[in-house]
Amino acid sequence: MAKAEQAPKAKNPAKRKSILHYWTNLSLTRQGTVILAIPLTCLLITMAAWIGTRKNEEFTYQQIVHTQKVLRTSDQLLNVLINAETGIRGYGLTEDQKFLTSYREALPDIEPTVQELFQQVQGNPEQRQQVTGLKLLIQQELDILAKTLKQIENDFRFAPQAPRLGVLVEQGKARMDAVRQSLQDFKETEQELLVRRRTRLNQARFVNDALLGVSGVISLLGFAAALSLYRQTEKQMLRRGNELAATNRILATANLTLAERNKELDQFTYVVSHDLKAPLRAIANLSEWIEEDLEEKLDEENRYQMNLLRKRVHRMEALINGLLQFSRIGRRQSTIETIRVEDLLSEIIDSLAPPTEFKIEIMGPMPTLQTDTLQLQQVFSNLLSNAIKHHHQSEGHIWVSGTKQPDCYEFVVSDDGPGIAEDYHDKIFKIFQVLDSRDTTENTGIGLSIVQKIVKSKGGRIQVESKPNQGTTFRFTWPKRE
């Protein structure tokens, strides 16, 4: 049973992507480049073709002119030789001195004409060889003419010398015929060269015209293609403009919605913080009243528990305040001011009121910035407060410095405190992360999270360098201008 013919596999239409498909996927910049490149390339091809063929045509024409000049020089040489020969023969036949005039006038022109002809065929080895042989024949002819003239002048009586003169005349005729034949061969060679060069000139002109025609057609097609691509690009830009306008409308609506949500969030935050703080304050006050009312009945353990209760209430209030600050970062309208960082640090240090045993040293000059003063104040305040709060000794030293970078300022806050193990370098920036017991140190675990969020919102970066018992260094960058 014959096998059924297998149906040809259908080609995947996705593989046959048209030029238009690739074109529409190009960026507008590349589309513009292609649109400009097509006509420019066609124009360059046309110019290159025209220049090349024009140079070839001009070179061939110069060769033709040169060949014609060589032919004229060879004719001129033949005429000069004929004049010299005619002058000697006329003088020999008539003994009339006037025939010698043409001979004597011809002699000075022969050598320069031969040299000129030799120079004109320097680029043609075959013709140069012919001219070299021609020079020898001409010299022999001139020698015979000179001998003939001398023989005629020695004896003015022609008849007795006729046999001897006749020999010289025959020799001169034979030599002149050889010169004529040599010049004729030379001219035939030049004529063949002239024909070939004229043929080449006509071909060059034909090719030039053909190239110009083809290049013109290509240029027209190129401009037509560029125009078509331009129209497609114009439609694509119009479509993209409409899409962009629609996207802008969506973004505008989203921005309005986001602004309303932010407003609602601010109201919610205010209400929540107020509703949370009020009972916390009531709990703190109530604990104080109970302690006052039961002052004589409370033992030390109960007093300790009441103090612990109030501390945790205050910590809860601080935690709420920290959360409020953290949530407002990036949503509050920035107020840009010109500030001297050194003055700002002095105000912060004064507000923190560090122990007298602590020394906070500002290293070197500090820059003057145009920035959001409140946020920079929050960053420095949290870093300095942590350095004081978490120091393991009653005496401590803190250094603050600032250096100018190419695109920002880098600030450094260092201390000689207990340091931080490398395992905790990333954890300390996470919200609610604390290293000490909450009952040992009043800490919400939000301060460094606020610092990191503020620095990143300014496009900066913050990092910690620390090892146990070797102090801690915080480095952060801040823009030069907002």
Side-chain angles (χ1 to χ4, degrees):
M1 185 176 182
K3 294 182 179 180
E5 293 185 357
Q6 294 181 352
K9 294 182 178 180
K11 295 183 178 179
N12 187 359
K15 294 183 178 179
R16 295 181 296 177
K17 295 181 179 179
S18 64
I19 297 177
L20 181 60
H21 173 78
Y22 290 107
W23 172 254
T24 54
N25 287 333
L26 288 176
S27 64
L28 293 179
T29 302
R30 292 187 177 181
Q31 288 180 356
T33 303
V34 173
I35 290 174
L36 291 175
I38 289 177
L40 287 177
T41 302
C42 295
L43 181 61
L44 290 175
I45 292 174
T46 303
M47 292 179 62
W50 183 83
I51 291 173
T53 53
R54 182 63 182 172
K55 285 184 176 179
N56 186 27
E57 179 182 347
E58 185 177 352
F59 176 72
T60 306
Y61 178 76
Q62 293 297 330
Q63 287 183 322
I64 292 174
V65 172
H66 177 74
T67 300
Q68 292 174 340
K69 187 176 181 180
V70 171
L71 290 174
R72 286 196 299 270
T73 303
S74 62
D75 289 338
Q76 181 182 353
L77 178 60
L78 181 60
N79 291 333
V80 171
L81 291 173
I82 291 174
N83 288 338
E85 183 188 33
T86 301
I88 294 298
R89 288 186 177 183
Y91 179 64
L93 292 173
T94 63
E95 298 182 0
D96 190 350
Q97 290 288 335
K98 68 181 182 179
F99 284 99
L100 291 179
T101 302
S102 62
Y103 170 73
R104 292 191 177 98
E105 290 178 351
L107 283 180
D109 296 335
I110 293 175
E111 182 64 22
T113 306
V114 173
Q115 291 298 328
E116 181 181 359
L117 187 64
F118 187 77
Q119 292 294 329
Q120 290 174 351
V121 296
Q122 282 297 314
N124 191 331
E126 181 183 355
Q127 292 293 75
R128 190 169 64 247
Q129 185 177 0
Q130 287 187 353
V131 173
T132 301
L134 181 62
K135 287 173 65 176
L136 181 60
L137 293 175
I138 291 174
Q139 187 60 46
Q140 293 174 355
E141 170 64 13
L142 292 177
D143 292 342
I144 293 174
L145 291 178
K147 289 179 180 180
T148 303
L149 177 61
K150 186 176 181 181
Q151 184 67 34
I152 295 172
E153 289 177 346
N154 287 339
D155 193 349
F156 289 103
R157 296 175 62 190
F158 180 76
Q161 304 297 332
R164 294 176 61 188
L165 187 61
V167 172
L168 291 174
V169 170
E170 288 297 326
Q171 291 178 353
K173 181 178 180 303
R175 194 57 55 195
M176 191 61 188
D177 289 341
V179 171
R180 282 194 178 93
Q181 186 60 45
S182 179
L183 280 172
Q184 183 62 31
D185 294 342
F186 177 83
K187 289 177 64 176
E188 287 178 357
T189 302
E190 284 294 324
Q191 289 288 354
E192 292 176 358
L193 189 60
L194 180 62
V195 171
R196 289 199 300 271
R197 288 175 174 174
R198 282 178 174 170
T199 302
R200 193 183 311 131
L201 177 62
N202 292 332
Q203 291 175 348
R205 287 175 174 172
F206 174 78
V207 171
N208 188 26
D209 294 340
L211 281 175
L212 287 176
V214 172
S215 299
V217 172
I218 293 175
S219 298
L220 289 176
L221 292 176
F223 278 104
L227 182 61
S228 175
L229 293 178
Y230 172 77
R231 289 177 177 174
Q232 292 178 9
T233 304
E234 189 177 23
K235 292 179 180 178
Q236 186 177 0
M237 290 179 65
L238 182 60
R239 184 175 66 255
R240 291 183 181 179
N242 293 334
E243 293 174 355
L244 183 60
T247 303
N248 287 336
R249 288 192 294 269
I250 294 173
L251 288 175
T253 304
N255 286 335
L256 290 175
T257 303
L258 182 61
E260 292 176 359
R261 295 292 184 270
N262 284 336
K263 186 176 180 180
E264 292 173 359
L265 181 59
D266 288 337
Q267 292 175 351
F268 173 77
T269 303
Y270 174 77
V271 171
V272 169
S273 63
H274 183 270
D275 290 345
L276 287 176
K277 286 180 180 181
L280 287 175
R281 285 193 294 269
I283 293 173
N285 293 334
L286 184 60
S287 67
E288 290 179 357
W289 296 339
I290 292 174
E291 188 175 358
E292 290 176 359
D293 292 342
L294 301 176
E295 183 176 1
E296 296 178 356
K297 298 179 181 181
L298 290 177
D299 56 15
E300 292 299 326
E301 177 65 23
N302 289 329
R303 292 181 187 279
Y304 172 76
Q305 294 296 336
M306 296 298 275
N307 287 330
L308 185 60
L309 173 64
R310 284 191 292 273
K311 284 184 179 180
R312 291 181 177 176
V313 168
H314 293 320
R315 185 194 306 157
M316 188 66 180
E317 188 175 3
L319 185 61
I320 294 171
N321 291 331
L323 286 173
L324 289 175
Q325 292 180 7
F326 188 82
S327 66
R328 287 170 180 168
I329 296 173
R331 296 191 298 111
R332 184 184 60 84
Q333 184 68 32
S334 298
T335 302
I336 306 302
E337 299 174 327
T338 301
I339 60 166
R340 295 177 70 248
V341 177
E342 188 170 354
D343 294 342
L344 179 65
L345 287 170
S346 298
E347 294 176 3
I348 294 172
I349 295 170
D350 184 63
S351 65
L352 292 175
T356 55
E357 297 85 0
F358 260 84
K359 182 179 180 182
I360 301 179
E361 185 177 357
I362 300 175
M363 308 293 292
M366 286 290 174
T368 298
L369 302 177
Q370 286 186 338
T371 188
D372 188 335
T373 306
L374 181 59
Q375 290 190 335
L376 184 58
Q377 184 182 27
Q378 284 180 290
V379 172
F380 276 122
S381 180
N382 276 289
L383 292 178
L384 292 173
S385 176
N386 281 347
I388 297 171
K389 187 188 306 180
H390 297 289
H391 205 285
H392 62 306
Q393 295 177 355
S394 58
E395 297 181 358
H397 201 155
I398 301 174
W399 298 269
V400 183
S401 63
T403 57
K404 185 178 181 181
Q405 303 294 332
D407 55 350
C408 63
Y409 283 100
E410 183 182 64
F411 295 102
V412 179
V413 178
S414 302
D415 62 59
D416 58 353
I420 303 172
E422 191 173 353
D423 294 341
Y424 297 100
H425 285 187
D426 292 331
K427 294 181 180 179
I428 60 175
F429 292 107
K430 294 180 180 178
I431 195 167
F432 303 135
Q433 290 290 327
V434 294
L435 301 183
D436 298 328
S437 172
R438 296 183 186 272
D439 291 331
T440 303
T441 305
E442 289 298 329
N443 188 13
T444 62
I446 301 178
L448 289 178
S449 300
I450 292 175
V451 169
Q452 186 184 56
K453 190 172 182 181
I454 291 175
V455 171
K456 286 188 175 181
S457 71
K458 300 298 181 182
R461 61 187 182 277
I462 184 170
Q463 61 184 16
V464 60
E465 301 170 4
S466 181
K467 291 183 179 180
N469 302 319
Q470 296 184 17
T472 303
T473 297
F474 286 94
R475 298 178 181 272
F476 70 93
T477 59
W478 198 264
K480 292 181 178 180
R481 181 186 295 269
E482 294 189 51

